[in-house]
Amino acid sequence: MVALRLIPCLDVANGRVVKGVNFVGLRDAGDPVELACRYSEEGADELVFLDIAATHEGRETLLDMVRRTAESVTIPFTVGGGISSIEGITELLRAGADKISLNSSAVKNPDLVSRGASQFGRQCIVVAIDAKRRLGDPSGWDVFVNGGRKNTYIDVLSWAKRVAELGAGEILLTSMDGDGTQKGYDLELTRSVSEALSIPVIASGGAGSLNDVFEAFEYGKASAALLASLLHDNDLSIDEIKDYLLQKKLLIRPINY
């Protein structure tokens, strides 16, 4: 069996880590390179670095920041934001990223997923899905793009299955309804996608307690849990979360593995 993973997420805008609620009301949460180093040293299994304004502002991810961050950590590192071409993927991998996250560009050009997987290996291609519960349909979710600003009216489960078939190696699944609320992951959403696919699913959006993280794995069937506010605000540490999950008999890498 593959160990479950804890993944701090660094959402970056204007060169700073930011965090909001439901994708709005962003507040400063620190320097991205400093936080990346801290989480790497504290025992995180991987990191995700997302330039959340890149697609909306029509610019590419800041390569210099990616290089500095990648050079400073010793764990696998995913980079996303404003990546719309094979050339963009190539640049970021050369800058030190281990994986590339595609979101809006995958919806606009699904061929980018298959081409990226073919050229670089599917283990390098993560497809991020920003999901919001459909009004009047509590068991359905729509795919949003452009930093959560635009509803595509594409069904999340159908889209997840499609990108998996195209060659995505992993899904980063964010509940927009839960994002930043610290009220728990959307377990129904996470489980629905996890059980429908054979590739790993990263649960994102809503972690507020140790039990929330446990439930993402136990009931949501996620392969990894993305963490932001809990860590940025020093409410919990990687060590505390791992200790709790190990006590719950989950397969987690201890800090000193």
Side-chain angles (χ1 to χ4, degrees):
M1 294 179 63
V2 178
L4 303 170
R5 292 166 290 151
L6 296 180
I7 306 178
C9 181
L10 307 175
D11 288 340
V12 175
N14 301 315
R16 298 287 292 179
V17 176
V18 295
K19 193 60 195 148
V21 177
N22 306 131
F23 282 40
V24 296
L26 299 179
R27 57 183 171 78
D28 188 278
D31 177 78
V33 179
E34 290 180 4
L35 283 175
C37 291
R38 176 182 133 195
Y39 295 141
S40 178
E41 292 169 357
E42 287 181 356
D45 298 298
E46 297 184 19
L47 292 168
V48 168
F49 173 86
L50 298 176
D51 188 345
I52 62 172
T55 296
H56 174 59
E57 297 177 0
R59 59 179 171 78
E60 295 184 355
T61 304
L62 300 177
L63 283 173
D64 179 62
M65 186 184 300
V66 173
R67 290 190 188 97
R68 291 187 296 113
T69 304
E71 289 170 358
S72 302
V73 302
T74 58
I75 54 179
F77 193 75
T78 300
V79 178
I83 307 164
S84 59
S85 66
I86 290 295
E87 292 73 24
I89 295 174
T90 302
E91 279 188 323
L92 288 165
L93 291 176
R94 286 177 176 170
D98 297 280
K99 306 177 188 178
I100 300 303
S101 175
L102 305 173
N103 190 335
S104 301
S105 60
V107 174
K108 183 178 181 180
N109 178 22
D111 185 54
L112 184 61
V113 177
S114 55
R115 290 179 62 207
S118 176
Q119 186 161 335
F120 304 106
R122 67 184 302 159
Q123 78 285 347
C124 288
I125 304 299
V126 177
V127 171
I129 301 176
D130 294 333
K132 189 175 181 65
R133 282 188 180 267
R134 202 172 294 132
L135 292 177
D137 182 5
S139 61
W141 301 265
D142 286 330
V143 175
F144 277 67
V145 295
N146 290 9
R149 295 171 180 84
K150 180 181 178 182
N151 190 351
T152 66
Y153 299 100
I154 297 171
D155 178 71
V156 166
L157 196 55
S158 298
W159 177 237
K161 291 177 180 178
R162 185 180 179 196
V163 295
E165 291 170 355
L166 287 170
E170 195 161 22
I171 300 293
L172 171 51
L173 181 65
T174 299
S175 165
M176 292 181 60
D177 303 294
D179 176 71
T181 65
Q182 296 195 23
K183 295 180 179 179
Y185 296 95
D186 187 332
L187 299 178
E188 184 183 358
L189 167 67
T190 306
R191 186 173 185 131
S192 295
V193 176
S194 296
E195 292 187 335
L197 305 179
S198 60
I199 60 174
V201 172
I202 304 169
S204 170
S209 68
L210 292 169
N211 192 60
D212 288 342
V213 182
F214 169 72
E215 288 187 335
F217 293 127
E218 185 72 6
Y219 303 109
K221 303 303 179 185
S223 298
L226 207 71
L227 303 164
S229 300
L230 267 183
L231 299 178
H232 301 338
D233 295 338
N234 295 310
D235 294 330
L236 289 171
S237 68
I238 297 289
D239 191 39
E240 289 174 310
I241 298 170
K242 286 200 169 188
D243 279 347
Y244 179 82
L245 297 176
L246 287 168
Q247 290 172 23
K248 290 286 190 177
K249 309 300 182 185
L250 294 187
L251 183 58
I252 299 290
R253 293 187 183 94
I255 296 298
N256 296 314
Y257 64 86

